[in-house]
Amino acid sequence: MTTAAVAQPGRTKAFLRLVMIEHSVFALPFAYIAALTAMFQLDKNIHWVRLLLVTVAMVGLRTFAMACNRIIDREIDARNPRTANREIVTGAVSVRSAWTGAGVAVVFFLGAAALLNPLCLALAPIAVVPMVVYPYGKRFTDFPHAILGLAQAMGPVGAWLAVTGEWSWDAVILGLAVGVWIGGFDLIFACQDVAADRAHGVKSTPARFGIPAALYGARVCHVVTTALLVWYALATHAGVFFWVGLVVVAAAFLYEHTIVKPHDLSRLNRAFFTVNGFIGIALFVCALLDLLVRGLTV
């Protein structure tokens, strides 16, 4: 066996790198907030099996979405120096293996939806659509970030439906907050690819309108996100710990937009990965404490 073969990561490990499984931290906390709030309103008990199924559904759908993204964008990624070392471009993961992984992930998603309730299963195919449309968005619109936001907004709504089997406008408010938040930080993330996007005809808001405009748009998105989270707190009669969480989130947004400037993107990864990961986890911890203090039973 050659040294190169020994160094080659296993297929599963390479696939998990391809779909960046650790980035589930962005969406999962908000799905948990929705699910636990719904449980609190339902009977004040944590239903662990449902929470597990919500986790499987969320991770499965996100994995499917990321795999599709990497497959569909492989030629674009190959032309961009930042993404040219992605596993599907280098051959560490074949297109066939990526499609297989995507298929397995969507089966897990649909299976979890079926085990939850009939409404979740009926709406599950609708949730799949924007996951596939998003990668194509950068080919026909300057606002693909909005498609990503729509896709992510469905997480909290689906988590609430998983618990109650009924529609909830409170969940829609939280879903909109998540969608606008993720759309906003995707605007920031896209700023680093402006040169490559313009060179190869890839559409994005920063590529079309410039980095300063994109960063301004991200700031507007995060102001709207904060307002929607306040609306959600009022709608669900949240307690003091949730409000503390909102203060932490607002402070994190301020920090994020302080360290990323139009002519200095050197700390962009800190803003994207560290700060936004912190936002989701911090708000979840505060929301969980709030629900436990108010009577949620473990």
Side-chain angles (χ1 to χ4, degrees):
M1 184 177 293
T2 66
T3 303
V6 173
Q8 185 73 14
R11 290 184 180 181
T12 301
K13 186 177 180 180
F15 180 77
L16 293 177
R17 286 181 179 176
L18 175 76
V19 300
M20 303 178 76
I21 195 70
E22 68 276 9
H23 287 189
S24 299
V25 71
F26 293 137
L28 265 178
F30 289 90
Y32 289 152
I33 291 171
L36 292 171
T37 304
M39 291 175 189
F40 176 80
Q41 294 185 4
L42 183 67
D43 59 12
K44 294 189 176 182
N45 289 308
I46 296 180
H47 300 264
W48 292 103
V49 173
R50 292 188 194 179
L51 203 59
L52 175 61
L53 290 172
V54 167
T55 304
V56 172
M58 287 290 296
V59 174
L61 184 58
R62 187 202 164 278
T63 300
F64 168 78
M66 283 296 294
C68 289
N69 186 298
R70 295 294 189 254
I71 294 166
I72 294 166
D73 279 354
R74 63 189 183 278
E75 293 182 2
I76 292 175
D77 288 344
R79 295 193 294 266
N80 185 336
R82 183 183 66 82
T83 57
N85 63 346
R86 284 178 172 169
E87 288 76 8
I88 204 165
V89 177
T90 64
V93 176
S94 67
V95 174
R96 180 177 180 179
S97 294
W99 276 125
T100 300
V104 170
V106 81
V107 166
F108 270 92
F109 166 65
L110 294 173
L115 291 172
L116 282 163
N117 56 63
L119 183 57
C120 282
L121 180 59
L123 296 178
I126 297 175
V128 173
V129 173
M131 307 302 175
V132 179
V133 172
Y134 167 65
Y136 291 105
K138 59 180 68 71
R139 294 162 170 81
F140 63 81
T141 176
D142 294 322
F143 307 99
H145 327 282
I147 302 174
L148 176 63
L150 174 63
Q152 298 295 328
M154 294 186 295
V157 178
W160 197 295
L161 288 172
V163 174
T164 66
E166 298 177 354
W167 185 261
S168 168
W169 289 108
D170 292 346
V172 172
I173 297 170
L174 183 58
L176 287 174
V178 172
V180 175
W181 167 55
I182 290 181
F185 75 64
D186 192 55
L187 283 173
I188 298 174
F189 191 71
C191 288
Q192 64 189 320
D193 292 329
V194 167
D197 288 349
R198 287 174 175 171
H200 302 295
V202 178
K203 295 179 179 292
S204 74
T205 298
R208 173 65 176 84
F209 300 101
I211 292 175
L215 293 181
Y216 179 79
R219 287 194 289 270
V220 171
C221 284
H222 292 159
V223 169
V224 172
T225 298
T226 304
L228 287 167
L229 289 174
V230 168
W231 186 7
Y232 175 79
L234 293 171
T236 57
H237 308 289
V240 64
F241 281 106
F242 191 91
W243 289 101
V244 169
L246 289 188
V247 172
V248 172
V249 168
F253 280 147
L254 287 173
Y255 174 70
E256 179 177 19
H257 291 284
T258 298
I259 65 174
V260 179
K261 302 181 184 302
H263 303 294
D264 182 10
L265 301 178
S266 61
R267 292 185 287 181
L268 186 147
N269 282 336
R270 183 190 300 180
F272 181 78
F273 296 110
T274 306
V275 177
N276 287 296
F278 169 78
I279 285 172
I281 293 172
L283 189 60
F284 167 69
V285 170
C286 290
L288 177 60
L289 285 173
D290 184 63
L291 291 170
L292 290 173
V293 167
R294 291 163 57 199
L296 182 66
T297 301
V298 177

